[in-house]
Amino acid sequence: MTRALYPGTFDPITNGHLDIIQRASQLFGVVDVVVAVNTRKTSLFSVEERLEMIRECTRHIPNVEVLSHAGLMVDCLRKRNAQVLLRGLRAVSDFEYEFQMALMNKKLDPVCETVYLMPSEKYTYLASSLVRELAGLGGDISEFVPAVVEARLRRKLSGSEGV
Ligand code: ADP
């Protein structure tokens, strides 16, 4: 059984991420969605909040597990006994960074294979940063994130939850 790790910031999870998770769940035995804990990057949602939202949005997919990891993804790969690192590719602009990461991860662990999936065309322009910005400006984000995430974003940005 192949276990794939899907790491990311997921601040917050969007329909683009979910599209990749859905596709991957049909290709791999288990998909571990991993919130990468990055102390250098400031995020809108805490790691716990991001985990909760991902769990709620993937509850209907039985072979998905959700966790966080601080440190190298190749270490997480070994710990979880996974073989594949999964990433989404939206546009050529993603390519250079992804190319670097895949080669570096391969160097760190020669067994690590990075697999890229493309989302449905309608999500190719979608990014968490855009969703945060749009929500902050009062725009309609209902097409881009699940309802639970939309509600959380509204609460967070209205200040009732604190940022
Ligand atoms: P990171 O900070 O690691 O890029 P993200 O949460 O932004 O984390 O993204 C995690 C992964 O999901 C990355 O591989 C990214 O390219 C991919 N991804 C993000 N948004 C989309 C989308 N709309 N469609 C497909 N893949 C996406």
Side-chain angles (χ1 to χ4, degrees):
M1 183 188 70
T2 310
R3 182 181 278 266
L5 232 65
Y6 181 37
T9 311
F10 303 107
D11 186 35
I13 187 163
T14 68
N15 290 340
H17 292 127
L18 283 170
D19 182 280
I20 298 292
I21 295 168
Q22 189 76 52
R23 285 168 200 275
S25 71
Q26 282 157 21
L27 295 172
F28 302 105
V30 182
V31 179
D32 282 340
V33 182
V34 185
V35 173
V37 181
N38 186 343
T39 45
R40 281 176 298 112
K41 219 166 157 181
T42 48
S43 55
L44 178 63
F45 291 99
S46 70
V47 171
E48 257 332 298
E49 288 172 321
R50 282 178 269 158
L51 289 171
E52 271 169 30
M53 284 186 277
I54 301 170
R55 286 200 180 105
E56 279 181 61
C57 301
T58 57
R59 195 173 286 153
H60 60 291
I61 317 174
N63 57 337
V64 169
E65 295 180 23
V66 184
L67 61 143
S68 64
H69 177 77
L72 290 174
M73 257 326 128
V74 288
D75 290 340
C76 187
L77 201 79
R78 281 189 212 113
K79 212 159 86 188
R80 302 289 293 178
N81 214 359
Q83 299 79 26
V84 168
L85 266 187
L86 180 71
R87 298 282 289 174
L89 263 192
R90 284 163 290 192
V92 181
S93 50
D94 279 339
F95 181 78
E96 202 167 316
Y97 175 67
E98 293 296 337
F99 185 62
Q100 249 184 347
M101 287 256 291
L103 289 178
M104 180 55 84
N105 283 322
K106 189 89 184 154
K107 180 119 192 109
L108 293 171
D109 183 351
V111 173
C112 172
E113 289 298 347
T114 307
V115 169
Y116 296 95
L117 290 181
M118 282 188 290
S120 157
E121 209 181 329
K122 60 181 185 280
Y123 299 129
T124 50
Y125 59 90
L126 186 53
S128 300
S129 55
L130 263 180
V131 168
R132 291 196 305 271
E133 202 171 324
L134 193 58
L137 295 169
D140 181 5
I141 53 164
S142 56
E143 256 184 76
F144 310 129
V145 292
V148 281
V149 175
E150 186 186 0
R152 286 256 196 166
L153 257 170
R154 298 259 170 253
R155 279 212 307 274
K156 177 75 85 179
L157 293 168
S158 72
S160 57
E161 236 182 38
V163 176

